[in-house]
């Protein structure tokens, strides 16, 4: 027990349960109570009935169907998921103005100032769950705690369709018996390293001490895990914060992919992300390539540009260079997922300007009686206008003709 904690348990972490699959079960009564897989080649989401059979998100579809032969496979409906997310976030914002969206199916809410008006955080969380079920038709789990980290862990422990409040006096009793994998930042590699030293629970991490953790995992990870294991998380719920990075990824299954095919897939991801940058009035400087190999190990490669940009061409060039540098590993180990993130984001117009030394950035002379700018920025603007008016499939790269563009996963609005 730890009775010296500062503050009350007023932070809610609200997380929709098996979101995509729950929307499918809501909209099709025949799917309720049955194992559901969203996506055939690769499982984008699965219902809890399928999870109980061992199916997991991002699993190969053939493997998932072998584990759960009775599963019903449905095609993803991203517009339906986006609409459901908007309805849920309206309920969040109707509950409290202090809402920090994390993804389309989860958010943090601060309800500390509402006690006299609407009741305790537990009461508020219970009403929130009732409203989401009654008004949107979806189950949602809520964790309530003094810190963001503990609230998120609480919601994870309470799933599915649950409510768990971690009283400040019971934080140690709640957190320390849990597996180290519950700590943010502990993936398979870090967990294996800790397990190898006999460290299996959060209590073990706390007992190890910060100097030993730093020596074992490095300064950033060591300080981070020690802070979480000792209940130190000063982050507040921050509504309207702009994201520090944006990203997209595509699961590829287990089929071998040629370098040309991977280049085409990556180019499609670049096009979507660059347009999101411009739609949000943002620029980026760092391009991060994320790969998952056939043995499910992962690697990350990054490149930082000399100046910030929102143009497709330099982002595309950097991403392709990172892919080329990783190609020998891909060919040797296979690839099951490719993703790209754009980081070091800033507001458009704040980046340092460069002199237009490249002749390609100079305006062209008159063409067919009109002044036409042939700069890459003008091309991006023209393509954005076409996509806005006629849809994303109206125009694209020649290399993508006849190819599956992949699934565009819905994301939170830029200012959410």
């Amino acid at each position: 027990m730890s009775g010296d904690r500062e503050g009350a348990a007023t932070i809610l972490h609200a997380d929709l349960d098996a979101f995509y699959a729950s929307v499918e079960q809501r909209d099709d009564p025949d799917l309720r109570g049955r194992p559901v897989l969203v996506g055939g080649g690769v499982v984008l989401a699965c219902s809890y009935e399928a999870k109980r059979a061992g199916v997991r998100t991002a699993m190969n579809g053939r493997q998932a169907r072998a584990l759960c032969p009775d599963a019903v496979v449905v095609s993803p409906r991203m517009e339906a998921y986006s609409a459901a997310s908007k309805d849920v976030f309206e309920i969040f914002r109707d509950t409290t103005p202090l809402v920090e969206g994390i993804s389309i199916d989860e958010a943090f809410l601060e309800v500390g100032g509402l006690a006299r008006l609407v009741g305790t955080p537990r009461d508020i969380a219970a009403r929130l769950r009732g409203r989401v079920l009654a008004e949107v038709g979806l189950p949602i789990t809520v964790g309530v705690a003094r810190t963001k980290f503990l609230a998120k862990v609480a919601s994870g422990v309470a799933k599915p369709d649950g409510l768990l409040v971690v009283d400040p006096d019971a934080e140690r009793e709640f957190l320390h018996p849990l597996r180290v994998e519950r700590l943010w930042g502990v993936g398979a590699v870090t967990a294996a390293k800790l397990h190898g030293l006999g460290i299996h629970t959060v209590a073990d991490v706390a007992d190890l001490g910060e100097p030993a953790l730093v020596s074992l995992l490095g300064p950033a990870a060591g300080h981070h895990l020690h802070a979480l294991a000792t209940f130190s998380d000063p982050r507040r719920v921050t509504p309207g914060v702009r994201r520090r990075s944006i990203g997209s990824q595509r699961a590829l299954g287990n089929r071998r992919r040629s370098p040309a095919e991977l280049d085409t897939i990556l180019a499609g991801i670049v096009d979507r992300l660059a347009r999101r940058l411009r739609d949000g009035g943002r620029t980026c400087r760092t391009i991060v390539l994320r790969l998952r190999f056939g043995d499910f190990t992962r690697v990350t490669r990054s490149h930082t540009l000399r100046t910030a940009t929102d143009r497709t061409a330099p982002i595309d060039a950097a991403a392709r260079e990172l892919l080329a540098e990783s190609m020998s590993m891909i060919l040797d180990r296979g690839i099951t997922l490719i993703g790209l993130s754009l980081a070091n984001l800033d507001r458009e117009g704040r980046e340092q300007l460069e002199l237009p030394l490249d002749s390609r950035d100079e305006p062209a002379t008159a063409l067919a009686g009109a002044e036409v700018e042939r700069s890459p920025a003008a091309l991006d603007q023209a393509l954005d206008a076409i996509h806005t008016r006629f849809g994303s499939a109206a125009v694209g790269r020649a290399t993508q003709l006849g190819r599956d563009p992949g699934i565009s996963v819905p994301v939170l609005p830029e200012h959410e």
Side-chain angles (χ1 to χ4, degrees), residues 240-292:
V241 64
R242 304 192 84 174
R243 291 187 290 280
R244 291 172 292 182
S245 67
I246 60 173
S248 180
Q249 63 186 28
R250 181 172 172 185
L252 303 174
N254 291 324
R255 181 169 67 83
R256 301 289 294 186
R257 305 281 180 160
S258 69
E261 188 176 4
L262 291 173
D263 184 81
T264 298
I265 292 170
L266 183 63
I269 295 174
V270 167
D271 289 343
R272 290 194 294 270
L273 288 180
R275 187 179 177 201
R276 279 179 60 192
L277 266 187
R278 294 188 291 272
D279 285 347
R282 313 297 297 279
T283 61
C284 76
R285 281 198 65 203
T286 301
I287 291 85
V288 182
L289 178 71
R290 304 181 190 279
L291 305 173
R292 187 181 68 203

Side-chain angles (χ1 to χ4, degrees), residues 12 26 32 37 49 51 57 79 105 144 177-178 188 203 210 246 328 366 376 381 416:
L12 277 56
R26 178 197 68 179
R32 295 172 191 170
L37 309 182
E49 294 85 357
K51 289 183 179 182
T57 300
E79 290 186 0
D105 59 353
V144 186
L178 298 178
E210 190 168 15
I246 60 173
S328 61
Q381 292 166 5
E416 187 56 66

Side-chain angles (χ1 to χ4, degrees), residues 50-66:
K51 289 183 179 182
R52 283 193 286 270
V55 179
R56 295 292 179 265
T57 300
M59 181 178 284
N60 176 272
R62 185 178 303 160
Q63 180 185 2
R65 290 189 293 275

Side-chain angles (χ1 to χ4, degrees), residues 20-40:
Y20 291 1
S22 291
V23 173
E24 298 300 336
Q25 290 177 319
R26 178 197 68 179
D27 294 348
D28 184 351
D30 289 340
L31 297 178
R32 295 172 191 170
R34 302 175 65 185
V36 175
L37 309 182
V38 180

